[in-house]
Amino acid sequence: MTVTKAERVRLLPPYLFAEIDRLKADLVAKGADVINLGVGDPDLPTPPHIIEKLAETAKDPANHQYPSYSGMNDFRISVANWYKRRFGVELEPLSEVLTLIGSKEGLAHLPLALINPGDLALIPSPAYPVYHIATMFAGGESWFMPLLKKNGFLPDLDSIAPEVAARARLMFINYPNNPTGATADRDFYERVVRFAVRYGIIVCHDAAYSEMAFGGYRPMSFLEVPGAKEVGVEFHSLSKTYNMTGWRLGFAVGNSDVISALGQIKSNIDSGAFNAVQWAGIAALEGDQGPVAHMQKIYEERRDILIAGLKKAGLHPEIPKATFYVWCPTPPGYSSKDFTSLLLREAGIVTTPGSGFGEPGEGYVRMALTVSRERIMEAVERICKLDLENPPPK
């Protein structure tokens, strides 16, 4: 029997991080000492008090049954309280907060709730691939907003033609930004709100990296801006903030109608997050935040070592105020894939080609700060030994 895949599956590009994993595995199988700066998966452990709460609540038989589709009320109340403490944003826990099985799941399902076939979604590029893939799965069309250095890696809203904006139903934004590490200020968010109001667009802000910032910088929430809750929602995750990537727990907050629509999709697709994980999430949000500050210091130290080393090698990386990514221009004459290939083949260093995040990412590679300072120092030594003045022939 021949299995014919659905058109939406056949149109999928190779998933970027799966390809990186395959290449890394090939090198490891050959005995190479590989330093993986490719995928943004924290190497630091989940704080002990969170693990202890999971262990305690996993033993309670009451948590072994189906959870609520929309999440435990206690968890949603904790999210609302955290937003009030962190951002000064008031949320109604039962109508403006939705529990997710990680923010990726919610981001992937949102277009199913809002996009009809033929509708447009405004999507940044370069960007996390899920925004475009989810739009495609919903039958929508992606209109890409280039994130360019000259604009501070912010979308130029004035360059979006009125006829394009009029067709758009949804806009994705993401700050602090993956992959560029760029940040956004209040003025940008105010312009986004005005743009969304003018054209009747729902804004989806992916804020997964809001707690990964350096030097005293504190990223703001999109929802802090007056009118934001009327036009949009914000997605957050415990993955990066508390080193809980494998736990799969996140949340969406904001406009109650959008939250309700997303909840309808989820109730027909999944059965909610394990209650014991939600109890652990409450411990994370309400417990000691010292581990978060400690994590920030560790990533800041790693960032500084990598930045200094790249500059020593003659490269000119962007210096991020947030996220655990460094967005580095390639040497003259190298494409993103050329430089990625050189680092992998000659130095045993896994990085991510910027072009894999979208065409405007060409000419950059992304490096993740998710290995120890010692391994970053080793990576820097290897890069400094490379001949970067002789690009491959075209």
Side-chain angles (χ1 to χ4, degrees), residues 123-139:
I123 295 174
S125 182
Y128 189 40
V130 172
Y131 311 147
H132 166 59
I133 298 302
T135 297
M136 183 182 74
F137 278 180

Side-chain angles (χ1 to χ4, degrees), residues 145-210:
M145 304 181 293
L147 305 185
L148 306 176
K149 181 180 174 65
K150 67 179 181 179
N151 297 325
F153 299 105
L154 299 170
D156 180 4
L157 301 179
D158 293 334
S159 71
I160 302 173
E163 59 269 24
V164 171
R167 285 186 58 204
R169 288 268 293 151
L170 182 60
M171 173 194 287
F172 286 94
I173 55 175
N174 162 224
Y175 294 96
N177 184 256
N178 173 23
T180 69
T183 55
D185 59 13
R186 181 176 293 272
D187 175 71
F188 170 72
Y189 290 133
E190 288 174 346
R191 286 187 283 119
V192 167
V193 169
R194 291 195 296 269
F195 185 86
V197 169
R198 184 183 313 136
Y199 292 106
I201 297 170
I202 294 165
V203 178
C204 169
H205 183 222
D206 178 0
Y209 298 92
S210 73

Side-chain angles (χ1 to χ4, degrees), residues 48-386:
H49 69 281
I50 301 174
I51 298 172
E52 290 164 7
K53 191 64 176 180
L54 174 69
E56 171 197 331
T57 53
K59 295 175 184 177
D60 184 349
N63 292 324
H64 300 171
Q65 297 176 306
Y66 282 123
S68 165
Y69 291 115
S70 54
M72 287 169 38
N73 289 350
D74 288 313
F75 178 72
R76 291 190 286 168
I77 290 168
S78 287
V79 169
N81 289 339
W82 183 80
Y83 253 79
K84 177 63 176 177
R85 292 192 306 271
R86 173 64 177 86
F87 302 113
V89 171
E90 298 275 0
L91 294 168
E92 204 295 307
L94 303 189
S95 63
E96 295 179 338
V97 180
L98 181 68
T99 304
L100 304 173
I101 309 173
S103 61
K104 178 180 180 180
E105 169 263 303
L107 291 165
H109 286 146
L110 185 66
L112 292 176
L114 301 175
I115 293 286
N116 289 312
D119 286 342
L120 282 185
L122 304 176
I123 295 174
S125 182
Y128 189 40
V130 172
Y131 311 147
H132 166 59
I133 298 302
T135 297
M136 183 182 74
F137 278 180
E141 300 175 23
S142 298
W143 195 92
F144 294 104
M145 304 181 293
L147 305 185
L148 306 176
K149 181 180 174 65
K150 67 179 181 179
N151 297 325
F153 299 105
L154 299 170
D156 180 4
L157 301 179
D158 293 334
S159 71
I160 302 173
E163 59 269 24
V164 171
R167 285 186 58 204
R169 288 268 293 151
L170 182 60
M171 173 194 287
F172 286 94
I173 55 175
N174 162 224
Y175 294 96
N177 184 256
N178 173 23
T180 69
T183 55
D185 59 13
R186 181 176 293 272
D187 175 71
F188 170 72
Y189 290 133
E190 288 174 346
R191 286 187 283 119
V192 167
V193 169
R194 291 195 296 269
F195 185 86
V197 169
R198 184 183 313 136
Y199 292 106
I201 297 170
I202 294 165
V203 178
C204 169
H205 183 222
D206 178 0
Y209 298 92
S210 73
E211 307 312 296
M212 302 188 68
F214 315 124
Y217 173 63
R218 298 275 281 172
M220 66 179 290
S221 165
F222 167 68
L223 297 179
E224 291 183 55
V225 174
K229 197 189 293 185
E230 281 66 52
V231 299
V233 290
E234 190 160 77
F235 285 72
H236 212 292
S237 167
L238 279 70
S239 290
K240 309 303 194 297
T241 304
Y242 301 104
N243 305 321
M244 296 171 65
T245 51
W247 298 55
R248 309 317 305 139
L249 185 63
F251 47 86
V253 301
N255 185 282
S256 59
D257 290 334
V258 177
I259 294 295
S260 175
L262 178 56
Q264 284 182 275
I265 295 295
K266 284 177 54 59
S267 68
N268 283 280
I269 290 177
D270 66 64
S271 297
F274 182 29
N275 280 349
V277 171
Q278 292 187 66
W279 283 117
I282 292 170
L285 294 169
E286 296 184 355
D288 178 17
Q289 300 301 299
V292 178
H294 179 63
M295 169 198 72
Q296 290 169 340
K297 290 179 181 178
I298 290 174
Y299 285 127
E300 184 170 7
E301 180 185 31
R302 294 176 181 180
R303 178 201 66 173
D304 293 345
I305 292 170
L306 182 57
I307 292 289
L310 293 173
K311 287 183 176 180
K312 184 179 178 181
L315 300 169
H316 305 282
E318 302 293 327
I319 304 176
K321 293 196 299 182
T323 77
F324 52 26
Y325 301 118
V326 171
W327 190 236
C328 184
T330 61
Y334 285 83
S335 70
S336 294
K337 289 186 177 180
D338 288 339
F339 192 41
T340 298
S341 177
L342 176 73
L343 291 172
L344 190 60
R345 187 180 65 252
E346 302 294 334
I349 299 170
V350 178
T351 58
T352 309
S355 56
F357 295 100
E359 186 177 341
E362 177 53 67
Y364 290 87
V365 296
R366 192 193 73 177
M367 302 181 180
L369 303 171
T370 50
V371 298
S372 69
R373 67 188 300 275
E374 290 78 16
R375 293 295 274 170
I376 288 179
M377 292 171 70
E378 170 65 22
V380 162
E381 289 182 12
R382 295 183 190 182
I383 293 171
C384 287
K385 292 176 182 177
L386 295 174

